[in-house]
Amino acid sequence: MAARGLHHVTAIAGPARVNLDFYTRILGLRLVKRTVNFDDPGTWHLYFGDEAGRPGTILTFFPWAHAAPGSLGIGETQETAFRVPLGSLGWWAHHLVERGVEHETPTTVLGSRVLRFKDPHGTRLALVGVPGIEAEAAAGLGEVPADHAIRGFFGVTLLLERAAPTAQILTEVFGFEAAGEDGSVSRYRVPGQSLGAVVDIREVGGFPRGRSGAGTVHHIAFRAAGDEDQAAMVERLTGMGLAVTGQKDRNYFRSVYFREPGGVLFEIATDVPGFAVDEAPESLGRELKLPAFLEASRKTIAERLPAID
């Protein structure tokens, strides 16, 4: 059974320039790809990640300038968490305060120190202090020096009415294993994986459903090595009675989508071909990239997109 963890998380933001500034300057992530929402090409689709754009580090956004704020509820991703060196949490707390970003008092969840905060449009984020990752490669970008830089995803927290049906998907399809409980939170982890290896499920029966909008997560994607790996996962899902879409070519990965039992939109995305398929690794994120079917409309699309530089 394949067991690789998260590929990316996609959320909804407000104005694109504010979104870009926060994630590149304040959080120190690299703009890995600037493209458009393939289904709404008048809207940016911005990809942020590590220097190489590796799966397990990518947070993407659909930024709509006039998006109404969303509201958190069951059937949604409550929080997206990044990995930082354990000794860097103090630096990050000071950095966020200096930049006017409010944060909660650090707390301990299932043995990990966690610093929670929100981006300018309300997206719930966290930094998790992880011991022993200081030697991992990290570029110093924006205002964040390499010593304190984010090192990919820690994981996500799902807010669900019932944990068990979703836990079955995680363990029987994606290869996660139960890794502890803390009150209403159950942790699932991919053994032997570091990036994007954790999914926490917070069970809150009777909590109201949320509303999609700025500050909410649109979907989360799990990794598949390639088409064969993805097809095997789809076969297991359909055998469990779940409806899965046909494969969609997203240029940098190939995807299928389904609603897991708790209502969260899940994607399975292939690791291949990767973000360097249409621009050199050292040039990632510098130019507008479009899929072949939109190239004929490049001039019109470029003129409609909000300025971000």
Side-chain angles (χ1 to χ4, degrees):
M1 178 185 294
R4 297 176 186 86
L6 299 176
H7 185 282
H8 66 269
V9 175
T10 294
I12 299 171
R17 193 191 295 270
V18 175
N19 179 252
L20 176 66
D21 179 73
F22 182 81
Y23 284 92
T24 57
R25 181 175 64 86
I26 295 179
L27 293 195
L29 299 179
R30 183 180 186 182
L31 177 61
V32 171
K33 191 67 61 178
R34 60 175 76 197
T35 184
V36 296
N37 182 333
F38 289 4
D39 303 314
D40 178 15
T43 301
W44 286 106
H45 191 178
L46 303 178
Y47 290 71
F48 303 97
D50 73 355
E51 188 69 9
R54 290 181 296 164
T57 74
I58 304 295
L59 179 58
T60 94
F61 285 92
F62 300 134
W64 282 292
H66 304 293
S71 62
L72 180 66
I74 59 170
E76 291 190 298
T77 301
Q78 178 180 3
E79 181 177 270
T80 302
F82 294 102
R83 303 162 71 242
V84 297
L86 178 59
S88 294
L89 284 177
W91 182 90
W92 274 100
H94 181 70
H95 174 62
L96 293 176
V97 169
E98 281 192 325
R99 296 298 171 262
V101 181
E102 295 184 3
H103 63 79
E104 297 180 12
T105 302
T107 188
T108 299
V109 179
L110 287 162
S112 297
R113 293 293 288 171
V114 180
L115 176 65
R116 293 189 168 101
F117 60 103
K118 296 179 183 178
D119 78 1
H121 301 129
T123 305
R124 292 167 173 80
L125 304 170
L127 300 174
V128 179
V130 180
I133 66 171
E134 292 79 5
E136 290 185 11
L141 300 174
E143 299 177 351
V144 183
D147 287 352
H148 301 301
I150 286 170
R151 286 148 167 86
F153 285 137
F154 180 81
V156 295
T157 301
L158 308 181
L159 192 67
L160 303 176
E161 185 159 2
R162 295 177 58 233
T166 305
Q168 183 182 14
I169 302 295
L170 295 175
T171 57
E172 296 185 11
V173 178
F174 297 134
F176 285 72
E177 296 180 355
E181 297 182 354
D182 184 353
S184 62
V185 177
S186 301
R187 173 159 293 177
Y188 295 85
R189 182 186 293 273
V190 178
Q193 178 60 277
S194 54
L195 295 177
V198 172
V199 173
D200 286 343
I201 299 177
R202 183 180 298 276
E203 187 175 76
V204 285
F207 200 77
R209 300 199 72 84
R211 183 184 67 252
S212 180
T216 64
V217 169
H218 186 271
H219 64 267
I220 61 174
F222 295 86
R223 295 174 62 184
D227 295 338
E228 184 177 349
D229 192 15
Q230 184 187 75
M233 295 180 185
V234 170
E235 183 177 3
R236 286 195 290 273
L237 289 167
T238 54
M240 299 166 75
L242 293 170
V244 184
T245 69
Q247 191 184 71
K248 300 179 184 295
D249 186 352
R250 300 308 192 189
N251 266 30
Y252 314 109
F253 43 86
R254 294 179 290 276
S255 300
V256 297
Y257 301 84
F258 67 99
R259 289 279 177 187
E260 55 81 36
V264 182
L265 181 59
F266 278 4
E267 174 183 353
I268 305 173
T270 60
D271 283 356
V272 292
F275 293 105
V277 69
D278 60 358
E279 54 188 336
E282 63 272 15
S283 301
L284 290 175
R286 294 183 185 175
E287 298 180 357
L288 170 63
K289 295 297 178 180
L290 298 174
F293 74 91
L294 290 176
E295 276 295 346
S297 303
R298 172 177 285 273
K299 184 175 184 297
T300 301
I301 290 171
E303 289 173 349
R304 289 174 58 195
L305 289 170
I308 57 175
D309 293 319

